[in-house]
Amino acid sequence: MNPQFAAFAAQMKSPLKFRLFMLSKLPSAFFAGLRVHDLTPQQSVIQVREKWFNKNPFRSMYFAILSMAAEVCTGALCWGAIYKTNPAISMLLVKMDGEFYKKANGIILFTCTDGNAIQDAVATALATNEGVVVNCHATGTNQAGEIVAAFNFTWSFKTRIK
């Protein structure tokens, strides 16, 4: 596990710091209202709430908002795993797919529990100086606990050689 993960998680869990980050680096996520619900080295939970900005004409959340929340959910674990590593590691999203099961209304929580696989991929990238990919799964559930969407993201990690 990255020894800097705790510092990274503290910044992400700070509502002000997370909002400032999103406003500067992911403005659409800022306006969509993404929130960090939970972040540990093994699991990430990102919350998005249905509101005027992220709705579609069919009285549910727009699919792109759901995709964004799921990406941030998996990406937070990836970023935490590479945060302040030496040597630095780059990460890149190389593939994504998703399935939608129900209308997304109210509050949706996306959960990814692939932290250990991500940490193993980062350790391999550091040890071999080769590119390593990891598949991450994020599941979105509504307030009733029903699955509304599921996404798979493939992230690539590679050591930055100076």
Side-chain angles (χ1 to χ4, degrees):
M1 182 181 90
N2 182 355
Q4 297 294 322
F5 190 93
F8 170 78
Q11 289 182 21
M12 291 288 283
K13 288 179 182 179
S14 166
L16 177 62
K17 288 181 180 178
F18 184 64
R19 287 184 189 128
L20 288 173
F21 166 76
M22 287 191 307
L23 185 60
S24 66
K25 303 291 184 190
L26 297 168
S28 57
F30 174 83
F31 290 112
L34 299 187
R35 302 282 185 264
V36 175
H37 191 265
D38 186 32
L39 182 60
T40 68
Q42 291 76 35
Q43 174 178 286
S44 171
V45 181
I46 300 295
Q47 173 184 307
V48 64
R49 177 186 304 265
E50 180 187 13
K51 57 185 187 175
W52 176 84
F53 180 79
N54 57 26
K55 68 178 182 171
N56 66 29
F58 309 107
R59 294 180 290 155
S60 65
M61 225 177 286
Y62 185 54
F63 83 94
I65 300 297
L66 298 171
S67 301
M68 182 184 349
E71 179 190 4
V72 170
C73 185
T74 62
L77 288 173
C78 294
W79 195 13
I82 68 168
Y83 184 71
K84 293 189 177 180
T85 56
N86 190 10
I89 296 178
S90 65
M91 63 184 246
L92 179 66
L93 179 63
V94 295
K95 182 180 177 185
M96 83 69 86
D97 64 67
E99 295 182 38
F100 304 92
Y101 301 105
K102 311 183 52 94
K103 284 188 174 190
N105 298 106
I107 296 172
I108 306 299
L109 294 177
F110 278 93
T111 304
C112 176
T113 58
D114 294 321
N116 291 334
I118 292 167
Q119 292 169 35
D120 291 347
V122 169
T124 302
L126 280 169
T128 64
N129 289 330
E130 298 289 328
V132 178
V133 297
V134 64
N135 295 311
C136 301
H137 184 75
T139 303
T141 56
N142 61 17
Q143 292 164 290
E146 302 165 317
I147 296 175
V148 297
F151 292 88
N152 293 300
F153 294 91
T154 303
W155 291 94
S156 172
F157 300 99
K158 188 170 183 183
T159 304
R160 292 184 184 171
I161 301 173
K162 294 180 181 180

